[in-house]
Amino acid sequence: GDHEIFEEDFDIISQIIVLLKPFKKAQKMLEGEKYVTSSTVMCAVRYIRIALEDSLTRDDDVNRIMAETMKSDFESRWGKSDTVAFDDGVTRAGGTRQVGIHPVLLIATFLDPRWKLLPFIDERSKVKIRAVVLELMIKLSGSKDVSAANQPTAPVDDSNEEDEVEEDEVEEDEVEE
């Protein structure tokens, strides 16, 4: 009948699955509930960009044609460069649609210890992000003096309450045995 699936159709579906697999992986990474995901947006975007570029070099026409279309749409949303540039503003296209990675997400990436070296961001942008974060820290501390932002606002308590709790738990465990 009209809805019969042939072996060639299964081949095409298999090729499409390969093309879409990086999107699934990026989605899974970004949908985490038990960890911060905003700082990984830049990495997910880069991962998808690389996967689409790799798909452009494949031998099968279906995958390559789909990858060309998807890459064009992807670049209209996320920009054409593999290197991210930090800009204080948000670029808009097609009305209110944002283009590229929002500056707040780049700041979140900088604040995440896993990405604090800001891979994939040009050097000029790294300096700008650090300056913006320092400015925000100063603003939030209520001081206009940069050196004051580097000083603790309260005495540091050297005792570690978690260690004390763990010791209590160990003692309870020993009693139960």
Side-chain angles (χ1 to χ4, degrees), residues 21-134:
K21 197 172 229 171
F23 288 88
K24 178 181 179 182
K25 186 174 180 179
Q27 176 193 353
K28 291 291 183 190
M29 180 174 65
L30 291 173
E31 68 183 20
E33 292 180 11
K34 301 201 185 286
Y35 54 91
V36 176
T37 59
S38 60
S39 59
T40 60
V41 169
M42 181 180 71
C43 298
V45 168
R46 185 169 193 276
Y47 175 73
I48 291 171
R49 182 186 312 279
I50 290 169
L52 285 172
E53 288 171 358
D54 287 348
S55 293
L56 293 174
T57 62
R58 300 247 167 110
D59 290 335
D60 56 279
D61 289 338
V62 172
N63 209 340
R64 193 176 56 255
I65 292 168
M66 261 187 82
E68 286 171 3
T69 304
M70 292 172 73
K71 185 170 187 265
S72 175
D73 182 69
F74 182 85
E75 287 178 343
S76 75
R77 296 170 189 273
W78 297 102
K80 293 184 183 209
S81 175
D82 189 34
T83 304
V84 177
F86 179 75
D87 188 2
D88 294 347
V90 176
T91 305
R92 301 278 180 202
T96 59
R97 186 169 57 85
Q98 169 192 318
V99 176
I101 298 173
H102 196 284
V104 171
L105 295 177
L106 294 174
I107 291 170
T109 302
F110 172 75
L111 294 173
D112 186 326
R114 296 171 295 177
W115 307 109
K116 68 181 178 186
L117 297 178
L118 300 173
F120 329 122
I121 296 181
D122 65 73
E123 288 303 316
R124 184 180 92 7
S125 293
K126 288 178 185 183
V127 170
K128 285 175 73 176
I129 291 172
R130 287 184 186 108
V132 167
V133 169
L134 181 59

Side-chain angles (χ1 to χ4, degrees), residues 4-17:
E4 207 171 322
I5 298 177
F6 298 101
E7 191 169 330
E8 309 86 52
D9 297 325
F10 282 109
D11 290 341
I12 291 172
I13 291 169
S14 295
Q15 294 168 7
I16 292 170
I17 288 172

